[in-house]
Amino acid sequence: MSLQVKGLPEIPEETARVAWSAFPKGSLAMSVRDQLGKVFADELFAEAFGVRGAPGLSRALLSLVTVLQFTEDLTDRQAATMAVRAIDWKYAMGMELSATGFDDSVLARFRARLVEHGMERLVFDRLLEWCREQGLVGAGGRQRTDSTHVISAVRDLNRLELAGESVRAVLEALAVVAPVWLAETMNVPELALRYGERVSGWKLPSSQVKRERLATVFGQDALALLRAVWAPTAPPVLRTLEPVALLRRITVQTYLVTTDARGREVIRKREAEQDGVPPGHLRLWGTAASLPYVNSLVQRHCGLIVSVGPDLHDAVTTAARHNPRQQFIIVGSPVKLANVRSFPPADQSAVIRAIRQVAEPRSSRRT
């Protein structure tokens, strides 16, 4: 990802008019935007981000989004949704009212690049110091507002969402494949209350204690489901379902099962420094980590899903195999599926033509 020097874009006149009409006294996002341009410049990120390649979102803009999602306790997916539907966020980001936002994966890549170059402190400490001076982020008590905490808190929210969504995906799969078995084995009414709505639609707890408690509940549900599926009386086909395999890997990656002093079983979040990492063949790699997000695009009825490079290749191929009516384009290794068009990376003009062939009919239908 190469991010060209842009800084924060100018606020479109119509966006400003509608935002101030909706928020006569302003909002947190609007207050941050009005002064943020004086705090950061894209040049601060030159060490971590190249200046060559296709332009992307500005570094200052991604810093703004990361801090806003931290203050509002939002996952990456929720932050990307806010950029589409929240008028004050559009104001803060300098977006047109009709703008469709950005893909949530860019936020994770942005944070990873900062951490890789040791720049998370340089960037966010400067921003958060200004926020404290303006009274936008609390400076007293036990609240931590240093940059490392911002990165960690946002990452934990995303892990929490992934843990809950993986349980929900298994419940949906089991309800289709073995509804009678599921009803006889699990407490379906209770699970339906907990997972009936997508976790990405929740307002996740702001309290660390409540987050830990929710993570434990997700872990307990995951463990109960996996033990039920692997029980001798369970239909063997259940163990072949991809959502089940994904849940198993996520559970091993995220949780550790131990016993307390009284011999009772305890499930808690895995800490790499304290507990080590899971076995290599069970760690979350590309397909396991990416498939839920590719599936979310399918569920949003996107007209076309385009994958470039090897990182998402296996996840997109898996999603294409299970969603024959969804159209895909893969730039990279060829895939022989009726709903997938594959192109070599060098043939950029062919990719553009293929995308236009899908986009133009949809555009004409809207008009």
Side-chain angles (χ1 to χ4, degrees), residues 40-289:
F40 282 108
D42 275 354
E43 286 81 357
L44 287 172
F45 301 83
E47 180 182 340
F49 299 92
V51 296
R52 300 177 61 185
L57 294 173
S58 78
R59 287 84 85 184
L61 190 59
L62 292 172
S63 299
L64 167 65
V65 172
T66 300
V67 171
L68 288 178
Q69 71 176 123
F70 166 71
T71 58
E72 298 192 26
D73 297 307
L74 301 176
T75 66
D76 290 347
R77 196 181 312 184
Q78 290 171 330
T81 300
M82 289 290 284
V84 175
R85 73 183 186 188
I87 294 174
D88 57 337
W89 276 53
K90 286 184 179 291
Y91 177 97
M93 298 177 65
M95 296 171 60
E96 298 284 352
L97 294 176
S98 59
T100 57
F102 54 87
D103 187 88
D104 57 83
S105 63
V106 73
L107 293 170
R109 294 199 298 269
F110 174 67
R111 293 193 303 271
R113 190 72 68 86
L114 292 181
V115 173
E116 178 184 349
H117 289 266
M119 297 183 65
E120 69 275 19
R121 282 195 169 278
L122 170 67
V123 177
F124 288 103
D125 282 354
R126 182 174 177 181
L127 174 59
L128 290 168
E129 180 61 33
W130 176 85
C131 288
R132 282 194 292 265
E133 292 174 357
Q134 301 300 315
L136 299 176
V137 178
R142 297 182 179 180
Q143 181 178 10
R144 293 180 58 196
T145 53
D146 60 276
S147 59
T148 303
H149 182 54
V150 173
I151 298 291
S152 177
V154 172
R155 183 177 60 241
D156 285 347
L157 282 171
N158 287 299
R159 289 178 62 188
L160 186 61
E161 180 188 68
L162 179 61
E165 278 293 292
S166 60
V167 173
R168 195 180 72 87
V170 168
L171 289 172
E172 289 187 344
L174 295 176
V176 173
V177 176
V180 175
W181 175 88
L182 180 63
E184 293 175 348
T185 307
M186 306 298 297
N187 188 342
V188 173
E190 180 181 342
L191 293 172
L193 287 174
R194 193 143 54 233
Y195 300 100
E197 180 185 353
R198 292 184 63 88
V199 178
S200 58
W202 296 7
K203 174 64 175 177
L204 295 175
S206 57
S207 163
Q208 182 65 27
V209 173
K210 292 182 178 179
R211 286 183 196 168
E212 294 288 346
R213 189 178 304 152
L214 182 59
T216 300
V217 170
F218 287 160
Q220 291 169 341
D221 289 342
L223 190 60
L225 277 170
L226 291 172
R227 284 176 172 170
V229 167
W230 260 269
T233 56
V237 68
L238 302 184
R239 295 189 281 275
T240 67
L241 299 176
E242 288 198 27
V244 171
L246 177 61
L247 176 63
R248 181 170 178 264
R249 297 177 70 184
I250 289 176
T251 302
V252 172
Q253 177 78 36
T254 309
Y255 297 101
L256 190 69
V257 180
T258 61
T259 55
D260 62 14
R262 297 182 180 180
R264 296 174 301 184
E265 184 177 83
V266 176
I267 182 169
R268 60 176 176 80
K269 286 203 309 181
R270 179 188 291 273
E271 301 295 339
E273 295 81 4
Q274 175 183 343
D275 306 314
V277 296
H281 67 286
L282 291 177
R283 297 181 196 174
L284 285 177
W285 298 111
T287 304

